[in-house]
Amino acid sequence: MSETYKRSANCQSEAEYAFNRKKHIVPLKLKKEYKPDGWLGFILGSRLYIDFERYEFEKAIELLHNEIQLQKKKRKDATEAAK
């Protein structure tokens, strides 16, 4: 997330497409002290995001990897429960 991302029509379309399709996204905060607002703040809501300014790069990547693995497990568990 950054002001540049928010101003991009393509990025907005991408984020809205994922939101409307109920796809899980993990936003990445890349700019120090950036506070998302407007359409980006709306889509973000109370979602978890990875703050690459707060953590060392390796730690932020680890957090991102862990979140992706958690979401994969949740999706797999939900699919199995539906069977």
Side-chain angles (χ1 to χ4, degrees), residues 36-69:
D37 60 356
W39 68 265
L40 184 54
F42 173 76
I43 287 176
L44 179 62
S46 61
R47 291 176 193 240
L48 165 81
Y49 64 89
I50 308 298
D51 190 342
F52 273 72
E53 286 295 318
R54 181 175 176 196
Y55 300 103
E56 294 289 325
F57 182 79
E58 290 79 16
K59 178 65 176 175
I61 289 293
E62 179 184 339
L63 292 170
L64 177 58
H65 174 76
N66 291 345
E67 180 62 20
I68 290 169
Q69 295 307 312

Side-chain angles (χ1 to χ4, degrees), residues 4 12 53 81:
T4 304
Q12 182 176 357
E53 286 295 318

Side-chain angles (χ1 to χ4, degrees), residues 1 7 9 12-13 17 19 24 27 30-33 41 46 48 51 55 58 67 76-77:
M1 298 178 293
R7 284 192 309 248
Q12 182 176 357
S13 295
Y17 180 78
F19 179 80
H24 186 80
L30 301 175
K31 296 289 184 178
K32 192 172 190 173
E33 299 181 25
S46 61
L48 165 81
D51 190 342
Y55 300 103
E58 290 79 16
E67 180 62 20
K76 180 181 177 187
D77 291 348

